[in-house]
Amino acid sequence: MDASNVGRPQPLVGDAGKESIKHAMSMGNPQQAIADYRAANSLDLPAADAVYALLDSLGVTRHSVHATALEAASSAAINHILNNPLSNDKHMALLENIRHYMDLPQLQQLPLQLLDMQPRMIPFDICEKISKSPRLYESCSTNIKRVLWQQNSDLFRQHMFPLIQSYVDSEDLLWMSREMTTGAVMKFTSRRRKNKSLLDISAAIGADLRLYMQTLGMIRELFLDTNNPAFGTLRLDLIMLMHENDVSDIIGDDICHGLAWPLDACITKQLMDDRRVQELQSYFDRFNNENMPYGEISLILSSPYSRHVLAQYVLSILEDIAPESAVSQRYKELKFPRVLLTMGLSAQELIQQDHPKIPKDSRLKTREFFQSLLVHIEDAAAQPVPDDASILTINGIARQVLYAFVLKLAASQNMDALNIWLSVIGDFLHPALGISSENLPDQSSLDAQVESRVPHAIPVSHYIDAFELDAFIQSIVSCICSNSRATATILNDMCLDLDLRPDAGGSIIEPIKLPLVKLLDQVGRLRHCGHEQMIAFLTGCAGFISAEYGADSASSPQTTIETRENAVHCVYKLCEHAAANYVVDPAHIGVLKEQYNKLSLACPQAFKYQIVSSNCPNASKFLLR
């Protein structure tokens, strides 16, 4: 026995306590052994015997009494520890006396609470003991775990990777990031910063700069593996959450804080004004080509929120240039946002390089497309030239700015110009996604089993391009469905196209000619998001038709559908067509089923058709049960 423990009553808990009890009971009269222990530990209380007798008569078991007493004693001890700070010497002495309680689940919170109060004083052997015990590790506070993480990076990675992945996989955050133009960005920012996974990541880091830097390394590592721009948004959100919480030890050492702060303000307001642009330019003026942190900067710029506001800024400059394109002095202003967009789209490449350089290959093509876009800004009815399509096939910046331009056409209800550009976008889908037309699956086999219709594999290098296509499709559907006149126009065109076909009464609707529906059809055969958005579009149409059924026709003369029955028929035929032919990502099938359910609910009882197995055998498989 340790000399320091001589003469001290030995607690009868844990493995040592069991052995002590066995020894005492085997040495003589068990009752005498109990009496001796009570006397030695001041437990010989007459009142206790009277209470036992009373509780026995009430049917309360001794186990229940002892468990309650232990819980009360433990709670009182923890409160005493919390309310009576100790000097370092007394702290360590008390820890030494109660450390063996860590082996007893009923009492382990006593030493753990003491460790939590002075995490920097945790002995190394206790750290090792906790690290090797999953049960004990899970019982520790974050303060204690941070000490363990500083000593064992594998433990930290095991804790953080699921949180990071949970943020990236969030369906809510994914949906928000795909809305390219919206007045709800401020609400989106607030919702992102309150996301549980992000808050848990921040809580794990605390104000520990070393753990923060390790977390950034994990984010970069996962981004390199996937090229998923959601990691760029996480990088931006994490530094801005530290900024909002005024974690000075971190924001003072994060070299990208000066970029994130003004950029986040631009994103929130959906505006890059002169002041913020100057702040961003001043940030970049701090560096030269040798010391610029290209990797960290490009990761933040890879976020969809960053790229979308930059694309809108480029478009706003082009709109100002257009009326006086021959003499405008603003051309030089395009260089800065163009470079930032290039960095965001090339983030994976820049992070991988030991000596990164911003790609210059497509700079001339970008300028050429901007010159062409000036013509279309001035005259929306102008037809795209062949060079436009060839540039869009290979140039990510051109596509990014075009998406912003087309969404503006949709918002202004310029349907003729919108249809022109939607057809152009459909023409460059495959090469823009890095997909060879020869490698596409046989569409005739897609209507067999839902499980077999997985999306075509997109090269990792084209993941951001695929994300942007998804974002554009979602945004154009949101824009159209929020405008009753645009919805009515498309529905009437769909009905007219269907009526002119010899197979109008059948179930086959191909070939689809209407540009928006055709584009949704093309994307739905390649991307799960295209499937979702076709059903979201049809849900918007069904809701509009439903309103028409319930409203007096004179109340909405500008939006009335010419033939409601035909419009209903179109919705159901397209729904069944999508269910039979579009790809399905198993990871997101829950959201897709919700979309089908919303479509079913949007169809009123007045409709002649309903989504049921007898009427829509393929679509009915997606309905939630």
Side-chain angles (χ1 to χ4, degrees):
M1 181 181 294
D2 193 316
S4 63
N5 289 328
V6 173
R8 181 181 300 163
Q10 295 302 301
L12 304 183
V13 296
D15 293 336
K18 290 179 183 180
E19 293 303 317
S20 178
I21 291 172
K22 287 180 182 179
H23 178 73
M25 293 298 186
S26 64
M27 293 300 291
N29 186 337
Q31 290 186 342
Q32 185 59 46
I34 293 172
D36 291 343
Y37 185 84
R38 290 176 63 181
N41 291 277
S42 303
L43 297 175
D44 197 5
L45 304 174
D49 292 332
V51 170
Y52 276 133
L54 174 62
L55 293 174
D56 288 344
S57 68
L58 295 174
V60 180
T61 65
R62 292 295 175 92
H63 177 272
S64 176
V65 173
H66 295 161
T68 302
L70 181 62
E71 183 180 344
S74 177
S75 178
I78 289 175
N79 286 333
H80 185 80
I81 292 173
L82 288 171
N83 297 320
N84 295 276
L86 301 172
S87 65
N88 289 348
D89 289 343
K90 290 184 177 180
H91 174 92
M92 294 305 296
L94 178 57
L95 177 61
E96 185 63 29
N97 283 338
I98 66 174
R99 60 185 293 168
H100 54 276
Y101 288 168
M102 284 193 290
D103 295 323
L104 195 68
Q106 297 93 325
L107 292 173
Q108 68 182 14
Q109 283 306 315
L110 289 173
L112 292 182
Q113 183 62 61
L114 202 61
L115 296 177
D116 181 75
M117 295 181 70
Q118 293 281 7
R120 295 184 179 181
M121 297 175 63
I122 301 176
F124 180 74
D125 63 325
I126 290 183
C127 287
E128 282 199 322
K129 178 184 181 70
I130 296 174
S131 298
K132 293 177 180 178
S133 170
R135 175 187 57 79
L136 197 54
Y137 173 79
E138 289 304 320
S139 299
C140 290
S141 68
T142 302
N143 282 340
I144 298 173
K145 287 179 178 178
R146 281 198 202 102
V147 176
L148 306 179
W149 295 335
Q150 290 166 354
Q151 298 177 10
N152 188 334
S153 61
D154 288 340
L155 271 181
F156 186 55
R157 289 168 70 87
Q158 289 170 19
H159 181 82
M160 295 299 278
F161 272 129
L163 296 178
I164 293 172
Q165 200 61 52
S166 176
Y167 175 95
V168 171
D169 290 342
S170 168
E171 293 286 359
D172 183 48
L173 299 186
L174 176 62
W175 177 83
M176 288 190 291
S177 67
R178 291 196 304 228
E179 287 292 330
M180 300 178 81
T181 56
T182 175
V185 172
M186 187 175 293
K187 291 182 180 178
F188 288 177
T189 300
S190 177
R191 281 165 60 181
R192 291 201 324 272
R193 305 277 159 81
K194 292 177 182 177
N195 175 266
K196 184 180 184 304
S197 297
L198 178 66
L199 295 177
D200 287 345
I201 291 170
S202 175
I205 295 168
D208 192 302
L209 180 62
R210 181 179 171 187
L211 295 181
Y212 177 76
M213 291 303 177
Q214 287 184 35
T215 303
L216 297 189
M218 287 182 244
I219 294 173
R220 285 194 301 274
E221 180 182 333
L222 290 168
F223 176 77
L224 283 175
D225 288 342
T226 63
N227 205 19
N228 186 340
F231 290 108
T233 304
L234 175 57
R235 176 66 174 91
L236 173 64
D237 277 344
L238 189 54
I239 180 56
M240 288 310 301
L241 187 60
M242 296 294 174
H243 171 88
E244 292 168 7
N245 293 336
D246 196 24
V247 187
S248 56
D249 289 345
I250 286 177
I251 60 179
D253 277 83
D254 190 331
I255 199 168
C256 286
H257 177 247
L259 166 69
W261 188 3
L263 181 61
D264 187 67
C266 295
I267 291 169
T268 302
K269 294 182 179 179
Q270 287 291 278
L271 174 68
M272 294 188 68
D273 55 29
D274 292 343
R275 173 192 165 195
R276 296 301 184 189
V277 171
Q278 289 175 2
E279 289 175 350
L280 288 168
Q281 290 174 330
S282 297
Y283 170 79
F284 282 92
D285 289 342
R286 297 163 46 192
F287 308 104
N288 55 45
N289 290 336
E290 299 301 320
N291 67 2
M292 183 176 291
Y294 286 98
E296 291 300 310
I297 290 174
S298 63
L299 182 56
I300 288 177
L301 294 175
S302 74
S303 166
Y305 295 96
S306 302
R307 288 182 288 101
H308 295 166
V309 77
L310 285 167
Q312 291 167 31
Y313 178 53
V314 169
L315 181 61
S316 69
I317 295 174
L318 291 173
E319 288 173 335
D320 287 344
I321 291 175
E324 48 183 22
S325 57
V327 296
S328 177
Q329 301 297 310
R330 298 200 64 190
Y331 282 103
K332 61 183 179 181
E333 295 178 31
L334 291 169
K335 179 180 178 180
F336 181 62
R338 190 194 71 226
V339 170
L340 298 192
L341 276 171
T342 301
M343 292 180 70
L345 291 169
S346 308
Q348 188 183 44
E349 179 182 349
L350 290 170
I351 293 173
Q352 286 174 327
Q353 295 174 354
D354 293 331
H355 303 288
K357 291 184 178 180
I358 300 174
K360 299 180 180 180
D361 297 347
S362 59
R363 182 177 298 177
L364 293 177
K365 292 296 182 181
T366 302
R367 291 175 180 172
E368 184 179 336
F369 179 74
F370 285 172
Q371 289 291 338
S372 178
L373 195 57
L374 289 172
V375 174
H376 299 288
I377 291 172
E378 275 289 275
D379 180 10
Q383 293 291 321
V385 298
D387 283 350
D388 291 337
S390 62
I391 292 173
L392 289 165
T393 297
I394 61 173
N395 192 292
I397 295 178
R399 290 195 297 271
Q400 193 89 66
V401 176
L402 175 66
Y403 291 152
F405 174 66
V406 174
L407 287 170
K408 207 156 191 178
L409 291 176
S412 65
Q413 301 177 51
N414 189 334
M415 303 304 290
D416 291 337
L418 176 64
N419 286 335
I420 291 172
W421 283 107
L422 291 178
S423 297
V424 172
I425 291 171
D427 290 340
F428 63 68
L429 285 184
H430 295 162
L433 296 178
I435 298 174
S436 170
S437 299
E438 292 77 19
N439 294 333
L440 287 174
D442 180 7
Q443 294 294 329
S444 63
S445 66
L446 288 184
D447 57 356
Q449 296 294 326
V450 168
E451 293 77 7
S452 67
R453 289 189 271 127
V454 295
H456 190 80
I458 302 294
V460 172
S461 59
H462 286 269
Y463 190 94
I464 290 181
D465 300 313
F467 178 92
E468 282 308 300
L469 176 63
D470 291 349
F472 173 72
I473 291 298
Q474 178 175 308
S475 299
I476 197 75
V477 168
S478 295
C479 185
I480 293 296
C481 290
S482 65
N483 187 296
S484 58
R485 182 177 300 177
T487 304
T489 299
I490 292 174
L491 274 170
N492 285 327
D493 288 345
M494 286 167 54
C495 294
L496 179 62
D497 182 40
L498 196 64
D499 284 344
L500 294 176
R501 297 166 184 250
D503 66 330
S507 61
I508 305 298
I509 62 170
E510 300 178 89
I512 297 173
K513 297 179 180 179
L514 192 64
L516 174 63
V517 182
K518 181 179 180 180
L519 180 60
L520 287 172
D521 183 65
Q522 290 174 292
V523 179
R525 295 174 183 271
L526 297 172
R527 303 284 298 162
H528 177 92
C529 182
H531 193 163
E532 283 184 16
Q533 293 309 311
M534 172 62 92
I535 304 306
F537 167 68
L538 296 177
T539 301
C541 291
F544 180 77
I545 299 169
S546 177
E548 290 280 302
Y549 266 94
D552 179 77
S553 59
S555 65
S556 53
Q558 295 181 322
T559 61
T560 300
I561 302 170
E562 295 172 5
T563 310
R564 294 175 186 170
E565 196 65 29
N566 281 2
V568 173
H569 192 43
C570 285
V571 168
Y572 280 97
K573 293 185 78 172
L574 277 171
C575 172
E576 183 65 2
H577 170 79
N581 294 281
Y582 293 178
V583 297
V584 177
D585 186 343
H588 300 283
I589 194 169
V591 176
L592 182 60
K593 288 182 176 180
E594 289 177 6
Q595 290 288 1
Y596 272 94
N597 207 51
K598 289 178 182 178
L599 173 57
S600 178
L601 294 174
C603 301
Q605 293 300 316
F607 281 18
K608 179 179 178 182
Y609 306 96
Q610 293 295 314
I611 301 178
V612 293
S613 57
S614 60
N615 188 50
C616 298
N618 290 293
S620 63
K621 296 175 184 177
F622 288 97
L623 293 181
L624 296 173
R625 294 289 183 256

